[in-house]
PDB file of all heavy atoms in Angstrom:
ATOM      1  N   PRO D 676      36.144   0.304   6.620  1.00 93.00           N
ATOM      2  CA  PRO D 676      35.987  -1.064   6.098  1.00 93.00           C
ATOM      3  C   PRO D 676      36.894  -1.330   4.903  1.00 93.00           C
ATOM      4  O   PRO D 676      37.168  -0.433   4.107  1.00 93.00           O
ATOM      5  CB  PRO D 676      34.505  -1.129   5.708  1.00 93.00           C
ATOM      6  CG  PRO D 676      34.106   0.293   5.504  1.00 93.00           C
ATOM      7  CD  PRO D 676      34.906   1.089   6.481  1.00 93.00           C
ATOM      8  N   GLU D 677      37.347  -2.580   4.798  1.00 92.00           N
ATOM      9  CA  GLU D 677      38.227  -2.953   3.694  1.00 92.00           C
ATOM     10  C   GLU D 677      37.458  -3.445   2.476  1.00 92.00           C
ATOM     11  O   GLU D 677      38.009  -3.495   1.375  1.00 92.00           O
ATOM     12  CB  GLU D 677      39.192  -4.045   4.163  1.00 92.00           C
ATOM     13  CG  GLU D 677      40.128  -3.591   5.279  1.00 92.00           C
ATOM     14  CD  GLU D 677      41.061  -4.697   5.725  1.00 92.00           C
ATOM     15  OE1 GLU D 677      40.922  -5.833   5.215  1.00 92.00           O
ATOM     16  OE2 GLU D 677      41.944  -4.442   6.577  1.00 92.00           O
ATOM     17  N   LYS D 678      36.195  -3.814   2.671  1.00 90.00           N
ATOM     18  CA  LYS D 678      35.416  -4.399   1.576  1.00 90.00           C
ATOM     19  C   LYS D 678      34.228  -3.525   1.202  1.00 90.00           C
ATOM     20  O   LYS D 678      33.157  -4.025   0.875  1.00 90.00           O
ATOM     21  CB  LYS D 678      34.951  -5.802   1.963  1.00 90.00           C
ATOM     22  CG  LYS D 678      36.104  -6.776   2.210  1.00 90.00           C
ATOM     23  CD  LYS D 678      35.585  -8.166   2.559  1.00 90.00           C
ATOM     24  CE  LYS D 678      36.744  -9.138   2.783  1.00 90.00           C
ATOM     25  NZ  LYS D 678      36.254 -10.514   3.130  1.00 90.00           N
ATOM     26  N   ALA D 679      34.421  -2.244   1.247  1.00 93.00           N
ATOM     27  CA  ALA D 679      33.381  -1.298   0.831  1.00 93.00           C
ATOM     28  C   ALA D 679      34.035  -0.163   0.064  1.00 93.00           C
ATOM     29  O   ALA D 679      35.178   0.203   0.334  1.00 93.00           O
ATOM     30  CB  ALA D 679      32.613  -0.771   2.043  1.00 93.00           C
ATOM     31  N   ASP D 680      33.314   0.365  -0.896  1.00 94.00           N
ATOM     32  CA  ASP D 680      33.844   1.471  -1.707  1.00 94.00           C
ATOM     33  C   ASP D 680      33.374   2.831  -1.199  1.00 94.00           C
ATOM     34  O   ASP D 680      33.953   3.859  -1.561  1.00 94.00           O
ATOM     35  CB  ASP D 680      33.423   1.302  -3.165  1.00 94.00           C
ATOM     36  CG  ASP D 680      34.038   0.062  -3.804  1.00 94.00           C
ATOM     37  OD1 ASP D 680      35.199  -0.261  -3.472  1.00 94.00           O
ATOM     38  OD2 ASP D 680      33.359  -0.593  -4.620  1.00 94.00           O
ATOM     39  N   GLU D 681      32.335   2.837  -0.389  1.00 95.00           N
ATOM     40  CA  GLU D 681      31.817   4.097   0.116  1.00 95.00           C
ATOM     41  C   GLU D 681      31.009   3.874   1.387  1.00 95.00           C
ATOM     42  O   GLU D 681      30.570   2.747   1.674  1.00 95.00           O
ATOM     43  CB  GLU D 681      30.938   4.793  -0.934  1.00 95.00           C
ATOM     44  CG  GLU D 681      29.714   4.002  -1.327  1.00 95.00           C
ATOM     45  CD  GLU D 681      28.913   4.653  -2.437  1.00 95.00           C
ATOM     46  OE1 GLU D 681      29.494   5.452  -3.210  1.00 95.00           O
ATOM     47  OE2 GLU D 681      27.700   4.381  -2.538  1.00 95.00           O
ATOM     48  N   LEU D 682      30.837   4.936   2.146  1.00 96.00           N
ATOM     49  CA  LEU D 682      30.013   4.915   3.349  1.00 96.00           C
ATOM     50  C   LEU D 682      28.965   6.017   3.231  1.00 96.00           C
ATOM     51  O   LEU D 682      29.278   7.140   2.809  1.00 96.00           O
ATOM     52  CB  LEU D 682      30.860   5.141   4.603  1.00 96.00           C
ATOM     53  CG  LEU D 682      31.878   4.052   4.968  1.00 96.00           C
ATOM     54  CD1 LEU D 682      32.679   4.483   6.201  1.00 96.00           C
ATOM     55  CD2 LEU D 682      31.201   2.710   5.216  1.00 96.00           C
ATOM     56  N   VAL D 683      27.744   5.708   3.604  1.00 96.00           N
ATOM     57  CA  VAL D 683      26.640   6.662   3.520  1.00 96.00           C
ATOM     58  C   VAL D 683      26.288   7.138   4.929  1.00 96.00           C
ATOM     59  O   VAL D 683      26.070   6.327   5.832  1.00 96.00           O
ATOM     60  CB  VAL D 683      25.402   6.036   2.847  1.00 96.00           C
ATOM     61  CG1 VAL D 683      24.249   7.037   2.830  1.00 96.00           C
ATOM     62  CG2 VAL D 683      25.736   5.583   1.428  1.00 96.00           C
ATOM     63  N   PHE D 684      26.252   8.448   5.098  1.00 97.00           N
ATOM     64  CA  PHE D 684      25.887   9.053   6.371  1.00 97.00           C
ATOM     65  C   PHE D 684      24.623   9.884   6.156  1.00 97.00           C
ATOM     66  O   PHE D 684      24.650  10.874   5.420  1.00 97.00           O
ATOM     67  CB  PHE D 684      27.006   9.964   6.882  1.00 97.00           C
ATOM     68  CG  PHE D 684      28.320   9.266   7.101  1.00 97.00           C
ATOM     69  CD1 PHE D 684      29.219   9.118   6.044  1.00 97.00           C
ATOM     70  CD2 PHE D 684      28.669   8.784   8.346  1.00 97.00           C
ATOM     71  CE1 PHE D 684      30.444   8.496   6.244  1.00 97.00           C
ATOM     72  CE2 PHE D 684      29.888   8.162   8.551  1.00 97.00           C
ATOM     73  CZ  PHE D 684      30.771   8.007   7.494  1.00 97.00           C
ATOM     74  N   LYS D 685      23.529   9.492   6.788  1.00 97.00           N
ATOM     75  CA  LYS D 685      22.303  10.271   6.660  1.00 97.00           C
ATOM     76  C   LYS D 685      22.310  11.393   7.691  1.00 97.00           C
ATOM     77  O   LYS D 685      22.753  11.215   8.822  1.00 97.00           O
ATOM     78  CB  LYS D 685      21.086   9.370   6.832  1.00 97.00           C
ATOM     79  CG  LYS D 685      20.989   8.297   5.737  1.00 97.00           C
ATOM     80  CD  LYS D 685      19.740   7.459   5.876  1.00 97.00           C
ATOM     81  CE  LYS D 685      19.661   6.430   4.739  1.00 97.00           C
ATOM     82  NZ  LYS D 685      18.423   5.609   4.820  1.00 97.00           N
ATOM     83  N   ALA D 686      21.820  12.566   7.271  1.00 98.00           N
ATOM     84  CA  ALA D 686      21.926  13.751   8.127  1.00 98.00           C
ATOM     85  C   ALA D 686      20.609  14.510   8.203  1.00 98.00           C
ATOM     86  O   ALA D 686      19.850  14.572   7.227  1.00 98.00           O
ATOM     87  CB  ALA D 686      23.030  14.673   7.609  1.00 98.00           C
ATOM     88  N   LEU D 687      20.360  15.096   9.376  1.00 98.00           N
ATOM     89  CA  LEU D 687      19.214  15.983   9.591  1.00 98.00           C
ATOM     90  C   LEU D 687      19.747  17.357   9.973  1.00 98.00           C
ATOM     91  O   LEU D 687      20.576  17.485  10.874  1.00 98.00           O
ATOM     92  CB  LEU D 687      18.297  15.457  10.701  1.00 98.00           C
ATOM     93  CG  LEU D 687      17.701  14.060  10.526  1.00 98.00           C
ATOM     94  CD1 LEU D 687      16.770  13.733  11.697  1.00 98.00           C
ATOM     95  CD2 LEU D 687      16.948  13.937   9.216  1.00 98.00           C
ATOM     96  N   GLN D 688      19.267  18.376   9.274  1.00 98.00           N
ATOM     97  CA  GLN D 688      19.690  19.757   9.508  1.00 98.00           C
ATOM     98  C   GLN D 688      18.503  20.544  10.046  1.00 98.00           C
ATOM     99  O   GLN D 688      17.473  20.668   9.389  1.00 98.00           O
ATOM    100  CB  GLN D 688      20.197  20.378   8.202  1.00 98.00           C
ATOM    101  CG  GLN D 688      20.677  21.815   8.325  1.00 98.00           C
ATOM    102  CD  GLN D 688      21.175  22.368   6.989  1.00 98.00           C
ATOM    103  OE1 GLN D 688      20.979  21.755   5.939  1.00 98.00           O
ATOM    104  NE2 GLN D 688      21.816  23.524   7.023  1.00 98.00           N
ATOM    105  N   THR D 689      18.649  21.086  11.262  1.00 97.00           N
ATOM    106  CA  THR D 689      17.552  21.807  11.899  1.00 97.00           C
ATOM    107  C   THR D 689      17.874  23.296  11.950  1.00 97.00           C
ATOM    108  O   THR D 689      18.987  23.700  12.300  1.00 97.00           O
ATOM    109  CB  THR D 689      17.312  21.293  13.330  1.00 97.00           C
ATOM    110  OG1 THR D 689      17.004  19.898  13.278  1.00 97.00           O
ATOM    111  CG2 THR D 689      16.147  22.024  13.981  1.00 97.00           C
ATOM    112  N   TYR D 690      16.860  24.113  11.597  1.00 97.00           N
ATOM    113  CA  TYR D 690      17.014  25.563  11.595  1.00 97.00           C
ATOM    114  C   TYR D 690      16.363  26.175  12.833  1.00 97.00           C
ATOM    115  O   TYR D 690      15.581  25.527  13.539  1.00 97.00           O
ATOM    116  CB  TYR D 690      16.380  26.158  10.332  1.00 97.00           C
ATOM    117  CG  TYR D 690      17.181  25.914   9.073  1.00 97.00           C
ATOM    118  CD1 TYR D 690      16.974  24.781   8.300  1.00 97.00           C
ATOM    119  CD2 TYR D 690      18.159  26.812   8.660  1.00 97.00           C
ATOM    120  CE1 TYR D 690      17.708  24.548   7.142  1.00 97.00           C
ATOM    121  CE2 TYR D 690      18.896  26.595   7.500  1.00 97.00           C
ATOM    122  CZ  TYR D 690      18.666  25.458   6.748  1.00 97.00           C
ATOM    123  OH  TYR D 690      19.394  25.234   5.611  1.00 97.00           O
ATOM    124  N   SER D 691      16.706  27.434  13.089  1.00 96.00           N
ATOM    125  CA  SER D 691      16.196  28.130  14.267  1.00 96.00           C
ATOM    126  C   SER D 691      14.684  28.336  14.216  1.00 96.00           C
ATOM    127  O   SER D 691      14.057  28.567  15.254  1.00 96.00           O
ATOM    128  CB  SER D 691      16.898  29.482  14.423  1.00 96.00           C
ATOM    129  OG  SER D 691      16.772  30.264  13.242  1.00 96.00           O
ATOM    130  N   ASN D 692      14.083  28.243  13.032  1.00 95.00           N
ATOM    131  CA  ASN D 692      12.632  28.353  12.913  1.00 95.00           C
ATOM    132  C   ASN D 692      11.942  26.995  13.016  1.00 95.00           C
ATOM    133  O   ASN D 692      10.776  26.847  12.663  1.00 95.00           O
ATOM    134  CB  ASN D 692      12.253  29.034  11.597  1.00 95.00           C
ATOM    135  CG  ASN D 692      12.747  28.260  10.377  1.00 95.00           C
ATOM    136  OD1 ASN D 692      13.317  27.170  10.502  1.00 95.00           O
ATOM    137  ND2 ASN D 692      12.545  28.808   9.188  1.00 95.00           N
ATOM    138  N   LYS D 693      12.676  25.972  13.485  1.00 95.00           N
ATOM    139  CA  LYS D 693      12.183  24.600  13.704  1.00 95.00           C
ATOM    140  C   LYS D 693      12.051  23.780  12.420  1.00 95.00           C
ATOM    141  O   LYS D 693      11.619  22.626  12.454  1.00 95.00           O
ATOM    142  CB  LYS D 693      10.835  24.593  14.446  1.00 95.00           C
ATOM    143  CG  LYS D 693      10.832  25.417  15.730  1.00 95.00           C
ATOM    144  CD  LYS D 693      11.936  25.001  16.684  1.00 95.00           C
ATOM    145  CE  LYS D 693      11.918  25.824  17.971  1.00 95.00           C
ATOM    146  NZ  LYS D 693      13.049  25.495  18.875  1.00 95.00           N
ATOM    147  N   GLU D 694      12.419  24.348  11.288  1.00 97.00           N
ATOM    148  CA  GLU D 694      12.391  23.568  10.043  1.00 97.00           C
ATOM    149  C   GLU D 694      13.495  22.508  10.081  1.00 97.00           C
ATOM    150  O   GLU D 694      14.613  22.767  10.525  1.00 97.00           O
ATOM    151  CB  GLU D 694      12.618  24.492   8.843  1.00 97.00           C
ATOM    152  CG  GLU D 694      12.683  23.746   7.514  1.00 97.00           C
ATOM    153  CD  GLU D 694      13.128  24.625   6.359  1.00 97.00           C
ATOM    154  OE1 GLU D 694      13.467  25.814   6.610  1.00 97.00           O
ATOM    155  OE2 GLU D 694      13.148  24.148   5.214  1.00 97.00           O
ATOM    156  N   VAL D 695      13.167  21.301   9.615  1.00 97.00           N
ATOM    157  CA  VAL D 695      14.131  20.203   9.563  1.00 97.00           C
ATOM    158  C   VAL D 695      14.269  19.732   8.118  1.00 97.00           C
ATOM    159  O   VAL D 695      13.277  19.388   7.467  1.00 97.00           O
ATOM    160  CB  VAL D 695      13.696  19.022  10.446  1.00 97.00           C
ATOM    161  CG1 VAL D 695      14.702  17.878  10.338  1.00 97.00           C
ATOM    162  CG2 VAL D 695      13.561  19.459  11.900  1.00 97.00           C
ATOM    163  N   VAL D 696      15.487  19.739   7.618  1.00 97.00           N
ATOM    164  CA  VAL D 696      15.763  19.248   6.263  1.00 97.00           C
ATOM    165  C   VAL D 696      16.443  17.895   6.408  1.00 97.00           C
ATOM    166  O   VAL D 696      17.460  17.763   7.085  1.00 97.00           O
ATOM    167  CB  VAL D 696      16.663  20.223   5.477  1.00 97.00           C
ATOM    168  CG1 VAL D 696      16.907  19.689   4.064  1.00 97.00           C
ATOM    169  CG2 VAL D 696      16.022  21.601   5.421  1.00 97.00           C
ATOM    170  N   ARG D 697      15.893  16.890   5.744  1.00 97.00           N
ATOM    171  CA  ARG D 697      16.361  15.512   5.888  1.00 97.00           C
ATOM    172  C   ARG D 697      17.223  15.126   4.677  1.00 97.00           C
ATOM    173  O   ARG D 697      16.700  14.855   3.595  1.00 97.00           O
ATOM    174  CB  ARG D 697      15.165  14.559   6.017  1.00 97.00           C
ATOM    175  CG  ARG D 697      14.275  14.900   7.212  1.00 97.00           C
ATOM    176  CD  ARG D 697      12.950  14.140   7.169  1.00 97.00           C
ATOM    177  NE  ARG D 697      13.165  12.706   7.254  1.00 97.00           N
ATOM    178  CZ  ARG D 697      13.310  12.042   8.396  1.00 97.00           C
ATOM    179  NH1 ARG D 697      13.259  12.692   9.564  1.00 97.00           N
ATOM    180  NH2 ARG D 697      13.497  10.742   8.408  1.00 97.00           N
ATOM    181  N   TRP D 698      18.533  15.103   4.887  1.00 97.00           N
ATOM    182  CA  TRP D 698      19.468  14.714   3.830  1.00 97.00           C
ATOM    183  C   TRP D 698      19.692  13.198   3.945  1.00 97.00           C
ATOM    184  O   TRP D 698      20.698  12.745   4.483  1.00 97.00           O
ATOM    185  CB  TRP D 698      20.771  15.477   3.973  1.00 97.00           C
ATOM    186  CG  TRP D 698      20.603  16.969   3.970  1.00 97.00           C
ATOM    187  CD1 TRP D 698      20.604  17.795   5.053  1.00 97.00           C
ATOM    188  CD2 TRP D 698      20.398  17.808   2.837  1.00 97.00           C
ATOM    189  NE1 TRP D 698      20.410  19.094   4.659  1.00 97.00           N
ATOM    190  CE2 TRP D 698      20.286  19.135   3.303  1.00 97.00           C
ATOM    191  CE3 TRP D 698      20.307  17.564   1.459  1.00 97.00           C
ATOM    192  CZ2 TRP D 698      20.077  20.216   2.452  1.00 97.00           C
ATOM    193  CZ3 TRP D 698      20.103  18.647   0.604  1.00 97.00           C
ATOM    194  CH2 TRP D 698      19.994  19.942   1.101  1.00 97.00           C
ATOM    195  N   ILE D 699      18.727  12.440   3.441  1.00 97.00           N
ATOM    196  CA  ILE D 699      18.739  10.988   3.681  1.00 97.00           C
ATOM    197  C   ILE D 699      18.565  10.153   2.415  1.00 97.00           C
ATOM    198  O   ILE D 699      18.577   8.925   2.480  1.00 97.00           O
ATOM    199  CB  ILE D 699      17.639  10.602   4.687  1.00 97.00           C
ATOM    200  CG1 ILE D 699      16.258  10.951   4.133  1.00 97.00           C
ATOM    201  CG2 ILE D 699      17.865  11.300   6.030  1.00 97.00           C
ATOM    202  CD1 ILE D 699      15.113  10.453   4.988  1.00 97.00           C
ATOM    203  N   GLU D 700      18.415  10.784   1.272  1.00 96.00           N
ATOM    204  CA  GLU D 700      18.203  10.026   0.042  1.00 96.00           C
ATOM    205  C   GLU D 700      19.541   9.522  -0.496  1.00 96.00           C
ATOM    206  O   GLU D 700      20.462  10.299  -0.723  1.00 96.00           O
ATOM    207  CB  GLU D 700      17.502  10.900  -1.005  1.00 96.00           C
ATOM    208  CG  GLU D 700      16.127  11.380  -0.557  1.00 96.00           C
ATOM    209  CD  GLU D 700      15.476  12.312  -1.554  1.00 96.00           C
ATOM    210  OE1 GLU D 700      16.050  12.506  -2.647  1.00 96.00           O
ATOM    211  OE2 GLU D 700      14.417  12.862  -1.241  1.00 96.00           O
ATOM    212  N   VAL D 701      19.628   8.208  -0.697  1.00 93.00           N
ATOM    213  CA  VAL D 701      20.893   7.597  -1.123  1.00 93.00           C
ATOM    214  C   VAL D 701      21.046   7.732  -2.639  1.00 93.00           C
ATOM    215  O   VAL D 701      20.198   7.236  -3.396  1.00 93.00           O
ATOM    216  CB  VAL D 701      20.948   6.112  -0.723  1.00 93.00           C
ATOM    217  CG1 VAL D 701      22.280   5.494  -1.156  1.00 93.00           C
ATOM    218  CG2 VAL D 701      20.752   5.965   0.780  1.00 93.00           C
ATOM    219  N   PRO D 702      22.095   8.400  -3.124  1.00 85.00           N
ATOM    220  CA  PRO D 702      22.313   8.514  -4.579  1.00 85.00           C
ATOM    221  C   PRO D 702      22.534   7.142  -5.203  1.00 85.00           C
ATOM    222  O   PRO D 702      23.196   6.279  -4.625  1.00 85.00           O
ATOM    223  CB  PRO D 702      23.585   9.371  -4.677  1.00 85.00           C
ATOM    224  CG  PRO D 702      23.671  10.087  -3.361  1.00 85.00           C
ATOM    225  CD  PRO D 702      23.107   9.139  -2.347  1.00 85.00           C
ATOM    226  N   GLN D 703      21.971   6.944  -6.379  1.00 86.00           N
ATOM    227  CA  GLN D 703      22.101   5.681  -7.101  1.00 86.00           C
ATOM    228  C   GLN D 703      22.928   5.892  -8.363  1.00 86.00           C
ATOM    229  O   GLN D 703      22.731   6.875  -9.084  1.00 86.00           O
ATOM    230  CB  GLN D 703      20.718   5.123  -7.477  1.00 86.00           C
ATOM    231  CG  GLN D 703      19.793   4.880  -6.288  1.00 86.00           C
ATOM    232  CD  GLN D 703      20.320   3.823  -5.352  1.00 86.00           C
ATOM    233  OE1 GLN D 703      20.955   2.861  -5.775  1.00 86.00           O
ATOM    234  NE2 GLN D 703      20.053   3.978  -4.053  1.00 86.00           N
ATOM    235  N   GLU D 704      23.851   4.981  -8.607  1.00 82.00           N
ATOM    236  CA  GLU D 704      24.718   5.100  -9.784  1.00 82.00           C
ATOM    237  C   GLU D 704      23.901   5.077 -11.064  1.00 82.00           C
ATOM    238  O   GLU D 704      22.991   4.268 -11.238  1.00 82.00           O
ATOM    239  CB  GLU D 704      25.731   3.945  -9.785  1.00 82.00           C
ATOM    240  CG  GLU D 704      26.779   4.058 -10.883  1.00 82.00           C
ATOM    241  CD  GLU D 704      27.827   2.966 -10.800  1.00 82.00           C
ATOM    242  OE1 GLU D 704      27.782   2.162  -9.844  1.00 82.00           O
ATOM    243  OE2 GLU D 704      28.696   2.911 -11.707  1.00 82.00           O
ATOM    244  N   GLY D 705      24.214   5.983 -11.976  1.00 83.00           N
ATOM    245  CA  GLY D 705      23.516   6.056 -13.250  1.00 83.00           C
ATOM    246  C   GLY D 705      22.229   6.859 -13.208  1.00 83.00           C
ATOM    247  O   GLY D 705      21.567   7.013 -14.233  1.00 83.00           O
ATOM    248  N   GLN D 706      21.866   7.382 -12.044  1.00 84.00           N
ATOM    249  CA  GLN D 706      20.655   8.177 -11.911  1.00 84.00           C
ATOM    250  C   GLN D 706      20.995   9.593 -11.481  1.00 84.00           C
ATOM    251  O   GLN D 706      22.075   9.863 -10.962  1.00 84.00           O
ATOM    252  CB  GLN D 706      19.695   7.536 -10.893  1.00 84.00           C
ATOM    253  CG  GLN D 706      19.217   6.148 -11.273  1.00 84.00           C
ATOM    254  CD  GLN D 706      18.221   5.587 -10.277  1.00 84.00           C
ATOM    255  OE1 GLN D 706      17.707   6.303  -9.412  1.00 84.00           O
ATOM    256  NE2 GLN D 706      17.946   4.293 -10.383  1.00 84.00           N
ATOM    257  N   GLU D 707      20.042  10.498 -11.713  1.00 88.00           N
ATOM    258  CA  GLU D 707      20.255  11.884 -11.317  1.00 88.00           C
ATOM    259  C   GLU D 707      20.339  11.986  -9.798  1.00 88.00           C
ATOM    260  O   GLU D 707      19.756  11.194  -9.077  1.00 88.00           O
ATOM    261  CB  GLU D 707      19.122  12.765 -11.843  1.00 88.00           C
ATOM    262  CG  GLU D 707      19.084  12.906 -13.357  1.00 88.00           C
ATOM    263  CD  GLU D 707      18.015  13.877 -13.804  1.00 88.00           C
ATOM    264  OE1 GLU D 707      17.304  14.424 -12.917  1.00 88.00           O
ATOM    265  OE2 GLU D 707      17.875  14.089 -15.011  1.00 88.00           O
ATOM    266  N   GLU D 708      21.082  12.985  -9.346  1.00 86.00           N
ATOM    267  CA  GLU D 708      21.215  13.183  -7.907  1.00 86.00           C
ATOM    268  C   GLU D 708      19.846  13.531  -7.320  1.00 86.00           C
ATOM    269  O   GLU D 708      19.116  14.364  -7.856  1.00 86.00           O
ATOM    270  CB  GLU D 708      22.196  14.312  -7.625  1.00 86.00           C
ATOM    271  CG  GLU D 708      22.464  14.516  -6.145  1.00 86.00           C
ATOM    272  CD  GLU D 708      23.489  15.608  -5.882  1.00 86.00           C
ATOM    273  OE1 GLU D 708      23.136  16.792  -6.093  1.00 86.00           O
ATOM    274  OE2 GLU D 708      24.618  15.288  -5.483  1.00 86.00           O
ATOM    275  N   PRO D 709      19.471  12.895  -6.215  1.00 90.00           N
ATOM    276  CA  PRO D 709      18.174  13.200  -5.601  1.00 90.00           C
ATOM    277  C   PRO D 709      18.127  14.613  -5.048  1.00 90.00           C
ATOM    278  O   PRO D 709      19.159  15.285  -4.919  1.00 90.00           O
ATOM    279  CB  PRO D 709      18.074  12.145  -4.482  1.00 90.00           C
ATOM    280  CG  PRO D 709      19.484  11.752  -4.194  1.00 90.00           C
ATOM    281  CD  PRO D 709      20.210  11.852  -5.501  1.00 90.00           C
ATOM    282  N   ASP D 710      16.935  15.064  -4.699  1.00 92.00           N
ATOM    283  CA  ASP D 710      16.775  16.428  -4.189  1.00 92.00           C
ATOM    284  C   ASP D 710      17.449  16.615  -2.836  1.00 92.00           C
ATOM    285  O   ASP D 710      17.958  17.689  -2.540  1.00 92.00           O
ATOM    286  CB  ASP D 710      15.283  16.759  -4.075  1.00 92.00           C
ATOM    287  CG  ASP D 710      14.618  16.863  -5.435  1.00 92.00           C
ATOM    288  OD1 ASP D 710      15.322  17.159  -6.416  1.00 92.00           O
ATOM    289  OD2 ASP D 710      13.392  16.629  -5.517  1.00 92.00           O
ATOM    290  N   PHE D 711      17.450  15.580  -2.020  1.00 95.00           N
ATOM    291  CA  PHE D 711      18.031  15.673  -0.686  1.00 95.00           C
ATOM    292  C   PHE D 711      19.000  14.511  -0.473  1.00 95.00           C
ATOM    293  O   PHE D 711      18.729  13.586   0.304  1.00 95.00           O
ATOM    294  CB  PHE D 711      16.932  15.664   0.377  1.00 95.00           C
ATOM    295  CG  PHE D 711      15.971  16.822   0.241  1.00 95.00           C
ATOM    296  CD1 PHE D 711      14.782  16.675  -0.459  1.00 95.00           C
ATOM    297  CD2 PHE D 711      16.275  18.052   0.788  1.00 95.00           C
ATOM    298  CE1 PHE D 711      13.909  17.736  -0.595  1.00 95.00           C
ATOM    299  CE2 PHE D 711      15.408  19.130   0.659  1.00 95.00           C
ATOM    300  CZ  PHE D 711      14.217  18.976  -0.034  1.00 95.00           C
ATOM    301  N   PRO D 712      20.143  14.555  -1.153  1.00 96.00           N
ATOM    302  CA  PRO D 712      21.092  13.430  -1.082  1.00 96.00           C
ATOM    303  C   PRO D 712      21.769  13.310   0.280  1.00 96.00           C
ATOM    304  O   PRO D 712      22.097  14.304   0.923  1.00 96.00           O
ATOM    305  CB  PRO D 712      22.116  13.778  -2.174  1.00 96.00           C
ATOM    306  CG  PRO D 712      22.081  15.274  -2.233  1.00 96.00           C
ATOM    307  CD  PRO D 712      20.653  15.656  -1.995  1.00 96.00           C
ATOM    308  N   ALA D 713      21.984  12.070   0.708  1.00 96.00           N
ATOM    309  CA  ALA D 713      22.732  11.820   1.931  1.00 96.00           C
ATOM    310  C   ALA D 713      24.225  12.016   1.654  1.00 96.00           C
ATOM    311  O   ALA D 713      24.693  11.769   0.549  1.00 96.00           O
ATOM    312  CB  ALA D 713      22.463  10.397   2.422  1.00 96.00           C
TER     313      ALA D 713
END
């Protein structure tokens, strides 16, 4: 895109023990990085 400064891609990471980690939290400017940033 020509009128955007960034693109956010949300991701799910699955392990062989069936655990799923959801990297879907959108970082906000001026705030600390979330625990599971997208």
Side-chain angles (χ1 to χ4, degrees):
E677 297 180 356
K678 298 181 179 180
D680 295 324
E681 62 184 24
L682 294 177
V683 178
F684 300 86
K685 297 183 178 182
L687 302 182
Q688 180 180 11
T689 301
Y690 286 90
S691 55
N692 60 4
K693 308 305 180 184
E694 177 189 4
V695 178
V696 181
R697 301 168 63 85
W698 304 101
I699 62 173
E700 299 176 5
V701 181
Q703 302 296 326
E704 186 176 356
Q706 298 183 12
E707 293 185 359
E708 184 178 71
D710 292 335
F711 299 95

